[in-house]
Amino acid sequence: MSLPFIDLKAQYAALKTSIDARIQRVLDHGQYIMGPEVQELETALAARAGTKHCITVASGTEALLIALMTLDLQPGDEVITTPFTFAATVETIVLLGGVPVFVDIEPDSCNLDAALIEAAITPRTKAIMPVSLYGQVCDMDAINAIASRHGGIAVMEDAAQSFGATYKGRPSCGLSTWGATSFFPSKPLGCYGDGGALFTDDDALAQAAREIRVHGQSQRYTHTRVGVGGRMDTLQCAVVLGKLERFDWEIARRLAIGERYQQQLGALPLQRLAVREDRDCVWAQFTVQVDEREAVVQALKQAGIPTAIHYPRPLHRQPAYEQRCRVATPLPQAEAAARRVMSLPMSADLSEAQQDEVVAALRAALA
């Protein structure tokens, strides 16, 4: 391909001095598990999310799993969520014996449709898990209000793609009972392997999460609760600390590149993602919807433009989950999006020339 889908090499070149120094510091002190960089990163991330607590964990998936464990999710308990997301969102529910309850998405944003949630609530509903898909937060005020009306149901934002985004001026991850993000390398803020973090203002939940991530230990060899091996490596924390140095610049670039894509694609026969006026989108993926997707993908491939499909099959149609979920509403929007979505190259280091190359190739493919 003539240009990368996500340009991690350019990012590293810009941050090489800082990242290398951070990694060298860990190699020098040798505290590879729960070293000082872990607490340093947690403090920095909590400040950015505006939360009292941040708990780093081994991955974004582990973040969701640990958060659900702190809520004492029991077999048969229900979690309302979207079918149009990566499998990690629901696999954590199923691993604990819970039942994913699917409601449909908004056709223009691809985010969970808050207006459909209330009708899906039952006495078994333990949590609501909206996904901030593609880097845009769901309507969290509406979702929190629904949860509050029904006895204070926990709300967990799956913010794997949206760290750095804002909703009504407030940061993603700091909008609900739990916020959970991922530092997978392709995310807006990524490490060089797996990593993730949890965010909350609740002292008891934070303490439970800290114990669960170290095998349920409240102190060494005192296992107060059932836990997992869920720590984030010190080296990966060091990488994220290095990347934080230009993260504000990267978010500004993502917003600008996303807006430029939106403007340049406005006249083409495709559907752009709608970004609500009261929030922004950090474009973890820049995604559009097209007819005849396979033909468009192949034409772009021939032109040297990489693409990806996020996501080609909704989770209620996946063999692992179709018998383990409850479909609370018809899901025509999720089904339609799965047939039509296509993601284009996107990263903070994407140049205008590269972006113009993508747009020109897409225009030709759609002609």
Side-chain angles (χ1 to χ4, degrees):
M1 293 295 175
S2 64
L3 59 88
F5 187 70
I6 298 169
D7 198 346
L8 293 177
K9 289 184 178 179
Q11 183 193 53
Y12 173 62
L15 291 166
K16 177 177 170 55
T17 300
S18 176
I19 290 174
D20 287 0
R22 287 278 187 177
I23 291 173
Q24 188 61 53
R25 200 169 303 147
V26 177
L27 296 175
D28 289 341
H29 67 56
Q31 298 177 55
Y32 300 112
I33 302 297
M34 301 303 289
E37 286 78 7
V38 175
Q39 181 60 58
E40 182 182 356
L41 179 60
E42 290 177 348
T43 299
L45 295 176
R48 284 184 169 268
T51 57
K52 191 173 180 182
H53 301 283
C54 169
I55 303 96
T56 54
V57 293
S59 67
T61 306
E62 206 78 5
L64 297 174
L65 180 67
I66 291 172
L68 288 171
M69 291 174 73
T70 70
L71 300 177
D72 195 29
L73 190 78
Q74 294 295 309
D77 285 348
E78 295 181 344
V79 179
I80 296 171
T81 190
T82 170
F84 191 64
T85 181
F86 185 60
T89 304
V90 301
E91 73 186 358
T92 54
I93 300 167
V94 172
L95 280 168
L96 295 174
V99 178
V101 175
F102 293 131
V103 299
D104 210 4
I105 61 174
E106 299 171 338
D108 58 349
S109 74
C110 292
N111 269 339
L112 186 67
D113 190 338
L116 302 176
I117 291 173
E118 198 150 23
I121 293 173
T122 74
R124 296 307 304 265
T125 303
K126 194 65 173 280
I128 303 169
M129 194 188 298
V131 178
S132 298
L133 198 68
Y134 303 141
Q136 179 179 197
V137 177
C138 295
D139 191 351
M140 295 299 289
D141 282 355
I143 294 169
N144 287 331
I146 292 166
S148 179
R149 285 199 297 272
H150 290 267
I153 296 169
V155 177
M156 289 175 48
E157 182 195 4
D158 180 343
Q161 300 179 15
S162 62
F163 192 79
T166 60
Y167 167 85
K168 298 183 179 180
R170 289 137 49 205
S172 175
C173 292
L175 302 166
S176 53
T177 314
W178 274 119
T181 199
S182 168
F183 302 127
F184 188 77
S186 63
K187 304 301 183 186
L189 181 61
C191 57
Y192 290 155
D194 278 311
L198 282 164
F199 300 84
T200 189
D201 288 324
D202 188 302
D203 294 344
L205 290 178
Q207 182 59 30
R210 290 190 179 99
E211 292 176 6
I212 290 169
R213 75 171 170 182
V214 289
H215 304 283
Q217 296 177 98
S218 55
Q219 55 186 358
R220 190 160 176 79
Y221 297 126
T222 299
H223 300 271
T224 309
R225 60 184 82 236
V226 175
V228 297
R231 300 160 300 206
M232 186 170 171
D233 295 344
T234 308
L235 277 167
Q236 298 299 345
C237 289
V239 170
V240 177
L241 282 165
K243 289 193 176 188
L244 276 177
E245 293 188 9
R246 75 162 197 167
F247 187 58
D248 289 334
W249 176 87
E250 290 198 12
I251 292 299
R253 285 285 297 153
R254 285 179 171 275
L255 295 176
I257 292 167
E259 179 59 29
R260 191 168 187 267
Y261 259 141
Q262 294 281 63
Q263 292 176 359
Q264 290 191 316
L265 300 179
L268 299 186
L270 51 74
Q271 181 179 339
R272 295 169 298 163
L273 193 73
V275 179
R276 305 290 183 232
E277 290 185 1
D278 60 358
R279 66 205 78 165
D280 56 26
C281 182
V282 294
W283 302 109
Q285 294 87 27
F286 188 89
T287 301
V288 297
Q289 296 191 45
V290 296
D291 297 323
E292 307 296 334
R293 180 177 65 195
E294 187 55 35
V296 175
V297 167
Q298 288 305 313
L300 289 174
K301 183 177 181 180
Q302 299 253 331
I305 306 299
T307 59
I309 310 300
H310 302 100
Y311 298 93
R313 185 190 293 188
L315 293 174
H316 67 290
R317 300 293 188 194
Q318 294 285 356
Y321 303 112
E322 57 189 354
Q323 301 302 318
R324 292 184 167 96
C325 66
R326 179 167 73 83
V327 177
T329 68
L331 303 171
Q333 305 302 338
E335 300 262 8
R339 292 191 299 268
R340 302 182 71 236
V341 292
M342 178 184 70
S343 299
L344 302 173
M346 179 68 192
S347 62
D349 293 288
L350 187 72
S351 70
E352 287 192 358
Q354 290 173 320
Q355 194 172 16
D356 291 342
E357 183 183 349
V358 173
V359 173
L362 184 55
R363 183 179 292 112
L366 292 170

